[in-house]
Amino acid sequence: MDYPRLVNCSFKDIEYACKKLGGCSVLYASKHVIKITCISNQKATVIPSSKPLKKGLVWDFVRTFLQGVCGFSEEQIFKVLWC
């Protein structure tokens, strides 16, 4: 599978991907942070609302939260998150 570089991702890209995947709820916790909650097990994480996000932060979010906590596959994630 061809992986995206995930270099110029913004918090809006992450928000869009979570809404398209359907297993997460997105809440603007404050002016600087968005809170993403996995609906199935109610575990949550926060993402800073800055542009662009650092590449390592985005990869860590994909690997630990979307794959580990929410249980999405790489194929499902990278269909909707391509930045």
Side-chain angles (χ1 to χ4, degrees), residues 13-31:
D13 296 326
I14 300 286
E15 178 184 10
Y16 174 78
C18 288
K19 287 182 179 180
K20 287 296 273 188
L21 286 169
C24 302
S25 67
V26 179
L27 173 73
Y28 283 86
S30 73
K31 189 165 139 183

Side-chain angles (χ1 to χ4, degrees), residues 6 13-19 21-26 36-38 40-41 45 47 58-74 76-78 80-81:
L6 301 181
D13 296 326
I14 300 286
E15 178 184 10
Y16 174 78
C18 288
K19 287 182 179 180
L21 286 169
C24 302
S25 67
V26 179
I36 301 169
T37 307
C38 184
S40 63
N41 57 14
T45 189
I47 299 286
V58 177
W59 274 106
D60 186 46
F61 173 75
V62 167
R63 298 275 188 221
T64 59
F65 189 74
L66 290 180
Q67 285 182 337
V69 175
C70 294
F72 294 111
S73 69
E74 287 181 351
Q76 290 173 319
I77 295 167
F78 293 130
V80 294
L81 181 65

